[in-house]
Amino acid sequence: MPITTGEGAPSPYEQIARVLAAHLGETEARRTARAEEAGASWAAQLSRPRPNGTGTGIDAAVEHLTGVFADMGFDPEPVSVGARRHIRLRACPFRAVAREHPDVVCGIHRGLLRGILSRIGAPPVTTELLPFVEPELCVAQVSPTTSTTANA
């Protein structure tokens, strides 16, 4: 649900997010690339490296990601599907802007996802962010990397 000023109009935060998203680049590919870079930079502000003695496997990485997404208001739900881990993001706080500019908002979240995993020293994984798999649901996927795949 978008933040509003009380009369149903978008809040100033939502308005500025829309303006910035629309002007992040001339093409969708450029906006997406810049958004992913921004998300990776944001990860440094939201996530600390894991302290020594904490888990280092994929489950520990997903637990850490779930905590960061919870702190941001995504109402995350971790789910295991075989070796793959899903984090169901049920309440994107940026949903209204994401519907208009998924290349930017989802790109930022994809960069954030990958940046956090890198920052905490996660094991080699493949990540994917699946926006709007249902009208109110996005899914972050984290899978062990095989010898033929690597994107995180």
Side-chain angles (χ1 to χ4, degrees):
M1 167 144 314
I3 300 170
T4 63
T5 58
E7 285 101 47
S11 74
Y13 292 107
E14 192 174 314
Q15 291 171 7
I16 196 168
R18 284 186 168 122
V19 168
L20 291 172
H23 292 88
L24 201 53
E26 296 298 319
T27 66
E28 182 177 336
R30 185 66 183 137
R31 286 188 301 274
T32 299
R34 283 184 169 171
E36 288 184 16
E37 291 169 12
S41 293
W42 193 13
Q45 297 173 27
L46 295 177
S47 180
R48 299 182 309 277
R50 242 192 308 240
N52 289 337
T54 60
T56 57
I58 192 169
D59 290 328
V62 168
E63 181 179 338
H64 187 86
L65 280 169
T66 300
V68 171
F69 282 123
D71 290 346
M72 293 177 68
F74 281 87
D75 189 23
E77 174 191 14
V79 178
S80 294
V81 181
R84 181 178 292 147
R85 305 300 185 267
H86 292 188
I87 303 172
R88 296 169 51 89
L89 305 171
R90 302 176 292 194
C92 178
F94 310 98
R95 186 177 292 133
V97 179
R99 288 189 198 285
E100 289 181 40
H101 301 284
D103 51 341
V104 173
V105 176
C106 300
I108 289 171
H109 294 150
R110 189 176 307 106
L112 180 64
L113 170 70
R114 292 176 180 162
I116 289 169
L117 290 170
S118 175
R119 182 130 172 94
I120 65 171
V125 293
T126 300
T127 60
E128 189 64 43
L129 181 67
L130 307 172
F132 301 111
V133 296
E134 294 177 10
E136 307 296 317
L137 177 70
C138 298
V139 176
Q141 294 182 346
V142 181
S143 306
T145 300
T146 64
S147 59
T148 60
T149 62
N151 71 359

